Amino acid sequence: MWGNERAFSLPLWAALLVAGGAGAVLDAGFPDRDWWYLAPVGVALMLLSLLGRSLATGLLVGLVAGLSFWLIHIFWITLYLGLVPWFALGGLESLFFAVGLGVTAVVLRHGPQVWPSAWGRLGVVPVVVAGLWTAREAISAVWPYGGFAWGRVALSQSESPFGPLVAWVGLSGLSFILVWLSALAVQVFREPELARTLRTGIAVGAVAVVLAVPAWPTLQSGEVRLAAVQGNADAGLFAEHAPGQILQDHTSATLPLIGQKVDFVVWPENSSDIDPTVSEAAAQVLDYISTEMDAPLVTGTITRPDDTYYNSSLLWEAGRGAVDVYDKVHPVPFAEYMPDRAFWRPFAPDLIDLIGRDYGIGTRDNIFDINGVLAGIAICFDIADDQLVHEMIDDEAQIILAQTNNADFGHTDESVQQLAIARLRAMETSRTVVNISTVGSSAIITPDGATLDSLPTFTAGAMVQTVPLSDTITPAMVAGRGLEWLVSGLGLAGLALCARFDRRQRRR
């Protein structure tokens, strides 16, 4: 064991207590509390709880930290779905957390011996630790069943001074930087032979260097005037309402806008509960809105071509109907479809049977050409999917329309957590993002992350604004997923060296 490592190792019971508290601290860095400065503190506490731990006890500490964080962070699931789905999803994500922190314990234990100089320990170990954290986030964001991209450390920074960095490095890169700062602070703490002023200078200097990176400049290529309508519709999964009520709610909220000049109107996900591509009555309503507003309408509905259900967004023009369609590419497993239904049903048949409709996975591109304005379309969970965001920018989207339906989550943290993702996407892509919900949180966010307009939750209303368009390509969009692969690879390579060192030590 390296140097004074034993002096920094907590008893297992104390490490478990610190890990449990660290999960709660990390969650406090996210909306609704949004105390963003606590997110790196929570990460640092988790790393402190791992000092001196083996892989086995590191897995246990990681599991406790993961359960503490996830069961708080996604408690909103319980509002309508109850305790079983909440604990199942929280438990699955906690297993990822356990593996990630378990292997991190190996690096923290053996890294100082693999890279024995003080500058090696300070320069390499934090990079490997941050790379492993980023790799764990990247894997859980895409697997299994398309993954769950919630809870990434970067998502806590939508309104922090670190937020603009996302334009340079993307969400995975921002997570890497935040964890690197936390790991560097912990590693500095483990270097008592260095003068206190030097250790303080290293930690403060690293933060200062990161914050000194300027915001990526946005060049406006044009502007568009739009109306985004929140109908305050009871559009929840288990809501009981008369057919057409949700469509009526959004129609009613749009009627006061007639006479205002806009280039297009945006309604949220599921804003037409009757498919206008098969219902003449619903089509007449959309025709009326498009005619009276003298503008195309982007709306959400459920379509069923060829006996497969899709969560769809329609570009509707009066007299022409749906001139373009986007079907959601990332339907949410265990909510919008039930993967491996026969396997999972015996565990909770009543809950599994609640998901009576399985949505298909869309194959269309996520771009609408709205009278010459190229709009990227994201339906609900799509906004958390890095690949879909890269695809819309690759297809030259000038603005992002993020349609969502948060009615199932009431006044919980879910809608503001999703809005935080939308805000970071605005900065990451240098695009205006229109986050429009059935009930909130709805807001128009400019490319610098500022809120141009917003609506109170559970209130019918509309945002009518002239917003900038942009064809700027940020470094994050140029790099694509490459930076994520790079830092994850550094973490895994460092882990391999530490594991090899551990095997040699055991043989000796």
Side-chain angles (χ1 to χ4, degrees), residues 192-270:
E193 68 275 14
L194 296 180
R196 180 177 298 178
T197 53
L198 178 57
R199 288 190 288 164
T200 302
I202 291 171
V204 173
V207 174
V209 167
V210 169
L211 291 179
V213 177
W216 181 258
T218 298
L219 300 178
Q220 184 172 330
S221 61
E223 62 182 24
V224 67
R225 187 163 180 81
L226 59 87
V229 179
Q230 176 178 288
N232 190 31
D234 187 9
L237 185 63
F238 305 118
E240 296 182 2
H241 51 76
Q245 182 60 53
I246 300 172
L247 174 59
Q248 179 60 48
D249 289 339
H250 286 87
T251 301
S252 299
T254 308
L255 292 178
L257 305 180
I258 291 176
Q260 296 197 43
K261 179 60 179 175
V262 297
D263 296 301
F264 60 87
V265 180
V266 188
W267 284 2
E269 174 190 21
N270 304 142

Side-chain angles (χ1 to χ4, degrees), residues 218-228 261-266 370 373-376 397-402 426 430-435 443-448 450-454 462-471:
T218 298
L219 300 178
Q220 184 172 330
S221 61
E223 62 182 24
V224 67
R225 187 163 180 81
L226 59 87
K261 179 60 179 175
V262 297
D263 296 301
F264 60 87
V265 180
V266 188
I370 310 176
V373 174
L374 297 181
Q398 300 166 291
I399 186 173
I400 297 174
L401 308 180
S430 198
R431 299 293 187 273
T432 297
V433 174
V434 180
N435 194 76
I444 297 175
I445 306 157
T446 54
D448 61 356
T451 300
L452 179 64
D453 200 352
S454 62
M463 301 176 288
V464 181
Q465 294 289 342
T466 300
V467 304
L469 302 175
S470 176
D471 52 16

